[in-house]
Amino acid sequence: MTERKKALVLFSGGQDSATCLAWALDAFDEVETVGFAYGQRHAVELECRDRFAVKLRARFAQWAVKMGGDHTLDLSLIQALGETALTSDSEIAMGKNGLPTTFVPGRNILFFTAAAALACRRGIKHLVGGMCETDYSGYPDCRDDTLKSLQVSLNLGLDARFVIETPLMWRDKAATWAMAYELGGQALVDLIVEETHSCYRGDRTQRHAWGYGCGACPACELRANGWDRYKAAG
Ligand code: ZN
C-alpha cells in the first residue's frame, strides 16, 4: 500500500496561496491548511480564507474529499517586533532600503518554521507556499534560495524530510491566473476573483475585473497588471 501523500498549505486568503491550495489539492491525497494571525491591519484576508475554503468545498467535489483540517496560528510576535505598514496605519510606500514599507522582516521564515513544527505533529511531509520571485515586491524571504536553504535548516533542526513546494516561484501573476484556469477552469478563476484578497489596505468596497481592492497599493497593482496580461493572452 502506498503512503498517502499529505501537504500543508500556507493559506492566507490571497490570490497566490489560494492558487497554491488548488494546486496541492490536485497533486496530493490529503491537504491541510494553516493561516497566521499576526496583527494584520485588517482582518479581511482571514475572513476571505474562510469563505474561500467553504465555497471551494461546495463547488469542487473532487477536492472537498481531500480537504483536511484548517489551523490558525497566532504569530502576534511579528507585531511586537516592530511597526510595518502591514501591521499599523503607517503609510504604504517605498522605504529607504528599496523595499515597500509593508515588508515584515523574516515573515516567511517564521511562517515556514511554524508550519514545519505543525507539520511535524501532523505527520505531513510537504509544505506549500505561494512565494514567488518572478514579479514580486522584492522581499528577500520570497526568494527561491532563501526557501531552499530554509528547507535544509528545517530538516536538520527537526530531523525531518520536509519538502518546501513553491509552485508559483517562477510564474508571473498572469501565469498564476492561467494556472488557476488549468486547475479548476473558469469556476476556480471566478472564485479567486470574488473571494480572495490581496490589497494591503484591506479595501473591499471597490470591485474591479480582477477582484476587490483599492487599486493603487503595490499588491493591487501587481494583481491588476497580472490580470490584464492574462486576459490579453486570451
Ligand atoms: Zn490595494
Side-chain angles (χ1 to χ4, degrees), residues 80-91:
L81 286 170
E83 197 173 275
T84 88
L86 271 194
T87 53
S88 75
D89 288 329
S90 58
E91 198 191 341

Side-chain angles (χ1 to χ4, degrees), residues 77-112:
L77 73 96
I78 286 179
Q79 195 176 22
L81 286 170
E83 197 173 275
T84 88
L86 271 194
T87 53
S88 75
D89 288 329
S90 58
E91 198 191 341
I92 295 167
M94 205 48 102
K96 287 196 193 79
N97 58 1
L99 291 169
T101 51
T102 47
F103 178 57
V104 178
R107 183 175 59 155
N108 288 328
I109 296 170
L110 286 168
F111 283 0
F112 267 115

Side-chain angles (χ1 to χ4, degrees), residues 199-200 214-215 217 220:
C199 176
Y200 287 145
C214 73
C217 74
C220 280

Side-chain angles (χ1 to χ4, degrees), residues 199-212:
C199 176
Y200 287 145
R201 295 196 171 92
D203 187 333
R204 300 264 322 156
T205 63
Q206 301 178 62
R207 171 66 156 82
H208 313 265
W210 43 266
Y212 293 92

Side-chain angles (χ1 to χ4, degrees), residues 30-73:
E30 217 173 308
V31 176
E32 299 192 13
T33 44
V34 60
F36 302 100
Y38 57 97
Q40 293 96 321
R41 60 200 242 157
H42 48 79
V44 172
E45 267 202 359
L46 292 176
E47 290 163 11
C48 281
R49 72 193 291 288
D50 293 339
R51 281 201 304 270
F52 183 86
V54 166
K55 290 189 178 174
L56 195 67
R57 273 179 206 272
R59 295 179 192 177
F60 297 86
Q62 76 278 29
W63 290 340
V65 291
K66 296 180 172 185
M67 288 173 77
D70 178 42
H71 313 270
T72 305
L73 297 179

